[in-house]
Amino acid sequence: MKKIIMLPIVICVALASIYFINATNTDFEKDLGGKHQIKSHKITNNSEDYAEIQLDLTHSSKDKLKPTIKVLKGDDLVYFGEKKVKDDTLGNYIIELTFTDTWIQKNGKNQMEKLSKDLQTAEDKSNRLLNNVKIAYPPDDAMMVLYFGVSEEPEVNIEEDSDYIKVKLNKKIK
């Protein structure tokens, strides 16, 4: 009698195991590659003293992204393709986020290019901290760089969750 009761339980456990082993992340673009992918982004705040950008993520790994962060001055060189150039469109200060084994999905790339154009062509730039965003791919094929151009010297904080990264920029108090 116990064998008859145990058999359906064992079958259910086996089927559930097979399902979870073969389950895939449906929004991860396998042909794009990488351990992590940026699906989309949004600016949740962009005032004179504070800006917040949320990057929505999907993963093929449980590893954290852990981007490296640098604050550059506006006349510092930034990646453009595989070389470094001066980019006057980024502003007085540039936040450089360098990601390893991370790619931006096509929709996210198109969205970021549109945002960059909108930020650059907006008439009133005086009441916002974030002025521009750009994507670059350095010579190292495993790297991707996001640049955030800002008007004032910022303090940068990153909040990472499994589904997103929030880049928080505060105007540095002098």
Side-chain angles (χ1 to χ4, degrees), residues 118-140:
D118 291 347
L119 286 169
Q120 288 181 62
T121 58
E123 290 182 26
D124 186 15
K125 296 180 183 181
S126 63
N127 63 347
R128 64 176 195 220
L129 185 59
L130 180 65
N131 292 321
N132 200 354
V133 295
K134 290 212 173 170
I135 309 165
Y137 296 97
D140 182 342

Side-chain angles (χ1 to χ4, degrees), residues 49-116:
D49 299 324
Y50 178 75
E52 183 176 287
I53 306 96
Q54 180 171 314
L55 306 171
D56 295 320
L57 307 172
T58 185
H59 310 274
S60 70
S61 161
K62 293 191 184 285
D63 297 341
K64 294 268 188 181
L65 265 89
K66 300 178 195 162
T68 59
I69 305 163
K70 288 184 186 175
V71 177
L72 309 172
K73 293 195 176 176
D75 56 353
D76 288 342
L77 300 179
V78 296
Y79 283 107
F80 183 79
E82 293 193 0
K83 60 184 175 190
K84 285 196 164 189
V85 298
K86 185 173 184 274
D87 188 339
D88 295 327
T89 67
L90 287 169
N92 299 331
Y93 291 90
I94 304 164
I95 291 89
E96 179 183 78
L97 293 181
T98 304
F99 297 90
T100 302
D101 213 5
T102 302
W103 299 100
I104 189 162
Q105 293 181 350
K106 185 177 180 181
N107 182 48
K109 186 175 182 180
N110 293 339
Q111 191 183 35
M112 196 162 290
E113 289 168 355
K114 181 183 180 322
L115 174 64
S116 176

